[in-house]
Amino acid sequence: ADFLANTDLLKNKKVIITAGGTRENIDPVRFIGNRSSGKMGIAIANAAAHAGADVTLIVGQVSVELPQSPQIKIVHVTTTEDLFNALQKRFAAADILIMAAAVADYRPVEFIDHKIKKSANNYNFSLSLTETTDVLKEIASKKRADQLVVGFAAETDDLLQNANNKLTSKNADMIVANNVGGTQGAFGSDQNQVTVLQKNQDPIKWPRQSKMQIANQLIELISLKLKQGD
Ligand code: CTP
Ligand code: CA
């Protein structure tokens, strides 16, 4: 089914979901961005709202319409640092954080406050980049025992091993691992194939299905995990 049968699964739960891509500014007219559509995170926000949760959707750049629901509060961010600040303000009050955003890994070392001009003798141009904050890792390091944090992992190789490393290194309770290689990629598509990893549990491989179906299954799994209290 496309919708959950039980609409009370996350009743009275505060859920923060991040979606879309962050952008790092180079100069007033240019940025470094990525191809995230925001579809997965938005589908999760809708599924959580349908399950009765009080949802805050923190969105970067998306290529689809944002949900309009009294249960979904929308917060806009641009850069990775904006996203980090938005979460630092709100995480303590949340029961669940789901990091579906495609966060930039690097940003320009400095922002140039005027449009960078091409010059006659520069055949090559290079930009110095520095690592952004690992938002998930920083936020999840402050996680209380009663909070649940779900991350995503986009991989083209060694999916399970890389995703498992992220589960541990980022202190997440769950990682939704997604193979972004090949022709049936996830970016922009309405469908995806994911494997869910949890500590001390066998990976759960779901079939290729719509992002809405993945979102509903994920919300169901999360609500089960909350009830078990582990
Ligand atoms: N993430 C984050 N902050 C970053 C980079 C990633 O919060 N600066 C989050 C993403 O939202 C996702 C998870 O970390 O939930 C994994 O993102 P991914 O890009 O797969 O992994 P990285 O840790 O960035 O490593 P790499 O890109 O090298 O695989
Ligand atoms: Ca990354």
Side-chain angles (χ1 to χ4, degrees), residues 74-163:
I74 295 179
V75 176
H76 292 274
V77 295
T78 303
T79 66
T80 301
E81 219 46 36
D82 290 344
L83 175 63
F84 185 43
N85 291 335
L87 281 172
Q88 276 187 310
K89 265 190 247 168
R90 295 173 175 85
F91 180 62
D95 299 295
I96 302 165
L97 167 65
I98 305 172
M99 281 291 297
V103 184
D105 292 325
Y106 293 93
R107 64 173 168 78
V109 171
E110 55 172 348
F111 173 74
I112 309 295
D113 67 3
H114 57 271
K115 186 186 168 201
I116 301 167
K117 301 298 284 178
K118 62 182 173 188
S119 68
N121 48 14
N122 275 5
Y123 297 110
N124 299 303
F125 173 80
S126 47
L127 197 60
S128 286
L129 303 179
T130 184
E131 235 180 290
T132 56
T133 304
D134 189 325
V135 178
L136 174 55
K137 188 175 180 171
E138 289 301 319
I139 295 293
S141 72
K142 290 169 201 122
K143 178 166 67 83
R144 300 185 308 263
D146 63 332
Q147 291 177 303
L148 199 127
V149 172
V150 180
F152 274 70
E155 311 291 348
T156 56
D157 309 285
D158 305 320
L159 180 83
L160 291 186
Q161 196 191 319
N162 283 325

Side-chain angles (χ1 to χ4, degrees), residues 2-102:
D2 277 349
F3 281 101
L4 296 169
N6 184 349
T7 58
D8 281 345
L9 281 176
L10 292 182
K11 204 175 173 185
N12 299 325
K13 296 293 177 196
K14 283 196 192 315
V15 184
I16 300 177
I17 295 152
T18 69
T22 60
R23 282 182 170 180
E24 305 304 327
N25 296 320
I26 298 169
D27 72 10
V29 297
R30 304 181 179 96
F31 58 81
I32 298 170
N34 62 67
R35 294 185 194 282
S36 172
S37 65
K39 283 178 185 171
M40 191 66 248
I42 289 170
I44 296 168
N46 283 324
H50 192 73
D54 166 356
V55 178
T56 300
L57 177 61
I58 304 182
V59 283
Q61 189 62 31
V62 298
S63 58
V64 293
E65 293 243 338
L66 293 174
Q68 290 188 332
S69 155
Q71 273 174 263
I72 305 177
K73 182 191 169 172
I74 295 179
V75 176
H76 292 274
V77 295
T78 303
T79 66
T80 301
E81 219 46 36
D82 290 344
L83 175 63
F84 185 43
N85 291 335
L87 281 172
Q88 276 187 310
K89 265 190 247 168
R90 295 173 175 85
F91 180 62
D95 299 295
I96 302 165
L97 167 65
I98 305 172
M99 281 291 297

Side-chain angles (χ1 to χ4, degrees), residues 9-10 96 218-228:
L9 281 176
L10 292 182
I96 302 165
L218 187 62
I219 290 302
E220 224 174 324
L221 187 64
I222 288 170
S223 68
L224 264 174
K225 206 174 170 69
L226 275 186
K227 281 201 187 83
Q228 291 161 357

